[in-house]
Amino acid sequence: MIFPDYRPRRMRQKDAFRRMIKETILTSDDLILPLFTIKGKNVKNSITSMPGHFQLSLDNLIKTVKEAHELGLPAVMLFGIPDKKDSLATKAYAKNGIVQNTIKALKDAVPDIMLITDVCLCQYTDHGHCGVVDGNHIDNDASIELIAKTALSHAEAGADMVAPSDMMDGRIAEIRQALDANNFSDVPIMSYAVKYCSSFYGPFRKAADSAPQFGDRRTYQMDPANGLEAIREATMDVEEGADIIMIKPALPYLDIISRIREEIDLPMAAYNVSGEFAMVKAAHEKGWIDGKKVMMETLTAIKRAGADMILTYFALEAANEMKK
Ligand code: PBG
C-alpha cells in the first residue's frame, strides 16, 4: 500500500463511500440511561453540574422512563436517594426502600424497558462509604453480606439485572449465591468490575449525596495508574459469576476497555461518568466546543474501543440525535 497506488482519501470523497466503510455504528441499543429516584410528588431537583438531569420523584421518573423506552433504549440504571442514612445502610435493603418501591411502580408503568439497579451502600450510609465502617477501616466481609442483601431485595422487587458498584472483594460470588438460593438464578449481574478511584465522579456524588465523610475510596477503588490489575479484577468477577463486565470511567480508560475486550469474552459495558458528561456540557455552554458533536464522537470512541453498551447521561440526547 504505497502512495500513489493507494490513496486513503479516495474512499473519503463521497458520503455513501464513507457510510460503506464505517467500522463502528452506534445505535440506541447500545445506550443505558442512569436515573436518580427520590421520594415525593412532583419533585424535579436540578443537578447543577449535570444539566438536563434531576433527582426525580416517581411521577416524573415514569415520564422520563417512557421517553427512554420510546427512543429505543433497552434499559435504565436506577440510583436511589433515601430519606434516611445510618451506619449500616439499612434503607439500602429495606423492603419498601426507595429503589424497591420505584422498581415495582416502574414495572407496572413501563413494563417493556429493562430495569438495572446500582447496588451499593454509599448513598445509604451516614459516613458515605461503600461498605461497613469499623473505625477508619472498611470491613470487606461484613460489607458484602449487606451488598448481597441489597441485590436480593432489588431482585425481589422485580429488578431485571443488578449492578454492584462497591468494589469489595468477593461480592459477585456472594450476590450470585444469594440470588440463586432464592430462585433468582435468571437475574444477571452486571459487575462494576474495573472501577477506578476517579475524580470524574464529582458531579454524581453531589447528585446522589454520596461523598465519603472522611478519607476517600482508595482502599477499595482501583489506582488509575494500574492496567494489569484491571485484568485480574475482571477475571475474578468472571470466575465468581458476573454476566457483564463494566469498566468505569470510560473516556480516560479507553486503553483498559480495549485490553479487557481482548482478554475477556463476556459482554462489556463502559460507564461514561458524570464528570465526563459535565466537562462536555460546560465547554459547550462556554461556546468552546460543539457539545452534540463531541457527545457523538465520545460515544462512538467508547464503542470503537470495544464496549458493547455504554451507561451515559447522554443517552436520551444521543438517541434523539440518531433518530434524525
Ligand atoms: C456508587 C457509584 C458511584 C458512581 C456510580 N455508582 C460513585 C462513587 O463510586 O463514588 C459514579 C457515577 C458517575 O460519576 O456518573 N458507588
Side-chain angles (χ1 to χ4, degrees), residues 24 26 31 249-254 257 270-273 275-281 289-307 310-314 318:
T24 306
L26 190 75
L31 307 177
L251 209 44
Y253 298 89
L254 292 182
I257 295 176
Y271 201 140
N272 175 226
V273 301
E276 299 174 56
F277 175 81
M279 289 195 302
V280 176
K281 289 289 174 189
I289 59 169
D290 179 330
K292 272 208 167 44
K293 289 195 174 134
V294 171
M295 163 182 82
M296 294 311 289
E297 184 177 336
T298 300
L299 297 173
T300 302
I302 297 169
K303 185 164 185 195
R304 190 198 60 233
I310 307 169
L311 292 114
T312 178
Y313 303 96
F314 287 121

Side-chain angles (χ1 to χ4, degrees), residues 118 120 122 165 195 201 204-205 217 221 248 274 313:
D118 179 85
C120 197
C122 59
S165 66
K195 179 173 177 181
Y201 307 149
F204 171 93
R205 290 186 189 162
R217 304 210 201 286
Q221 299 181 346
K248 175 186 177 190
S274 57
Y313 303 96

